Amino acid sequence: MSSLSMDQAFVQAPEHRPKAVIAEAAGIPVIDLSPLAAGDQAGVEALAAEVGRASREWGFFVVVRHGVPDDTMARALEAQRAFFAMPAERKAAVRRDEVAPLGYYESEHTKNVRDWKEVFDFFPREPPPPAPAAVADGELAFVNKWPQDLPGFREALEEYAKAMEELALKLLELIARSLGLKPDRLHGFFKDDLQTPTTFVRLNHYPPCPSPDLALGVTRHKDAGALTVLHQDDVGGLDVRRLSDGEWVRVSPVPGSLIVNVGDIVQVWSNDRYQSAEHRASVNSRKERFSLPYFFNPGSGAMIEPLEELVRDDSPPRYRAYNWGVFFRTKRNSNFKKLAVENLQIAHFKKDLDQAHLVE
């Protein structure tokens, strides 16, 4: 990655380039999750209210005392740094491709612009490989590619993924409670019987960039899944577009914390009560940066649409139903190359309620 030159593939359009100075994001909620472990029912309801307010006003929140063991986190972060410190040829041995999109990659595109980063992706629950005929028809083969010469790497990351799943399910219950639903209302979307699991973990490495005023580690985007739980190091670089005024602000690192953002699926489930916030990763010319996101996604067979409990005559469904597996595969394909069409977004499933009213 260090040999990358600043060619045009990395250069953002002028209106999307980061400013030299960006304000820190004041007011992002920092939520203490310790009442979950204490079994404090009143505390849990208060937490749910906090999560709901943050999901409406920011689409992001920071959690502390989240229950992920320090040593589990430390082993995962050590494994991440060890992997990206390997020579390029050793990383290339587990390089992903368009048919098998898990493993190492250094040429990812977001919004049809190349990101200044390198990544390693894996599925905590690896699905069975598809039949050769299915692969020939374009089905993706989600097979983990583990480096063979990095002791403890796989074990450390699988342990981390297990802890992330436990936390994500607790967060999902808080989301459900905040919407007035039963705590386990959303769990069924993540069951193994919904075909292929699509939750994945990504290791991000952002090397120093010679022109941080022209490029981004990840350009502006919203996460397509349900929830993202992110660990960022102390370098910083996560920017969020503030929902209240549309300005980009920097999310400063908080020691011992994790950042949670609401994904597009929660926005659709909530019928726009909650919003997934646009965010990006800025880079700098001096320090490398690492981040470790856990993307909590439903099974590929899940149909995503506004939840029936949240639809009323005065609040009709704002989205058409869509199949998550088809959506997920389409998004993955757009990561590999610049496409001639706009990237798939939930906006493509948005209903024109004014027009629907006229038709009725």
Side-chain angles (χ1 to χ4, degrees):
M1 185 76 183
S2 59
S3 63
L4 288 176
S5 61
M6 181 53 70
D7 62 36
Q8 287 299 307
F10 294 103
V11 176
Q12 296 284 327
E15 65 270 23
H16 298 308
R17 293 173 189 169
K19 296 179 181 179
V21 178
I22 183 170
E24 289 191 6
I28 285 185
V30 178
I31 301 177
D32 183 343
L33 295 183
S34 57
L36 291 176
D40 175 4
Q41 190 60 33
V44 170
E45 293 299 334
L47 280 182
E50 284 189 78
V51 166
R53 186 163 50 252
S55 300
R56 284 192 307 273
E57 297 176 358
W58 282 93
F60 267 80
F61 51 95
V62 176
V63 295
V64 295
R65 297 184 181 178
H66 42 67
V68 178
D70 291 343
D71 54 352
T72 297
M73 183 72 71
R75 281 191 288 269
L77 298 177
E78 182 180 356
Q80 179 180 28
R81 287 179 176 271
F83 176 80
F84 288 118
M86 293 196 306
E89 62 272 13
R90 288 175 61 190
K91 290 182 286 190
V94 290
R95 193 176 191 270
R96 75 191 201 197
D97 56 45
E98 292 185 43
V99 174
L102 297 178
Y104 173 73
Y105 203 59
E106 78 292 5
S107 302
E108 188 159 86
H109 289 69
T110 306
K111 298 285 187 185
N112 282 333
V113 182
R114 189 173 172 186
D115 299 328
W116 189 270
K117 68 174 180 180
E118 54 183 345
V119 306
F120 179 89
D121 290 348
F122 74 94
F123 269 27
R125 299 188 181 188
E126 185 178 316
V135 174
D137 288 340
E139 185 172 338
L140 300 177
F142 290 105
V143 179
N144 287 328
K145 298 179 179 179
W146 299 106
Q148 299 301 307
D149 49 358
L150 201 59
F153 178 78
R154 176 175 180 174
E155 292 77 10
L157 292 176
E158 287 182 336
E159 177 187 356
Y160 178 78
K162 183 178 179 181
M164 284 295 105
E165 181 180 37
E166 293 175 2
L167 174 58
L169 287 169
K170 293 174 184 176
L171 293 168
L172 200 68
E173 291 185 1
L174 291 174
I175 292 280
R177 286 177 184 271
S178 72
L179 289 167
L181 306 171
K182 294 180 179 179
D184 63 352
R185 170 64 175 90
L186 304 173
H187 286 201
F189 291 97
F190 299 85
K191 289 183 177 178
D192 291 341
D193 57 2
L194 279 175
Q195 299 179 38
T196 306
T198 63
T199 290
F200 69 100
V201 179
R202 166 164 293 177
L203 283 61
N204 285 318
H205 175 224
Y206 305 97
C209 177
S211 301
D213 57 326
L214 299 179
L216 286 164
V218 186
T219 194
R220 71 202 192 285
H221 68 286
K222 297 183 177 184
D223 289 347
L227 295 173
T228 303
V229 184
L230 172 78
H231 177 274
Q232 68 165 338
D233 65 13
D234 59 0
V235 174
L238 175 63
D239 303 334
V240 59
R241 190 188 290 275
R242 194 162 47 199
L243 293 177
S244 61
D245 59 10
E247 288 296 314
W248 285 105
V249 290
R250 176 68 44 84
V251 182
S252 299
V254 176
S257 72
L258 293 166
I259 299 166
V260 180
N261 74 278
V262 172
D264 286 344
I265 286 177
V266 168
Q267 178 171 328
V268 173
W269 279 338
S270 73
N271 206 27
D272 280 351
R273 287 169 173 79
Y274 297 165
Q275 299 289 318
S276 61
E278 198 169 29
H279 54 286
R280 68 188 185 191
S282 292
V283 289
N284 67 81
S285 60
R286 297 167 285 101
K287 285 187 174 182
E288 63 181 345
R289 176 176 178 260
F290 297 88
S291 69
L292 186 55
Y294 174 86
F295 297 98
F296 192 47
N297 298 331
S300 63
M303 294 300 296
I304 307 302
E305 60 186 322
L307 298 171
E308 59 183 354
E309 299 96 323
L310 303 179
V311 173
R312 302 185 302 271
D313 289 343
D314 61 348
S315 181
R318 296 174 177 268
Y319 298 89
R320 304 189 309 275
Y322 62 92
N323 177 270
W324 167 247
V326 173
F327 192 101
F328 181 75
R329 289 194 297 272
T330 304
K331 295 286 283 189
R332 295 293 294 192
N333 285 339
S334 72
N335 289 342
F336 286 89
K337 55 191 175 183
K338 185 172 182 176
L339 303 178
V341 296
E342 182 186 2
N343 291 37
L344 187 64
Q345 308 289 339
I346 57 169
H348 295 121
F349 300 92
K350 189 97 173 182
K351 289 186 174 184
D352 186 340
L353 296 182
D354 293 337
Q355 189 64 32
H357 176 72
L358 291 174
V359 172
E360 292 171 0

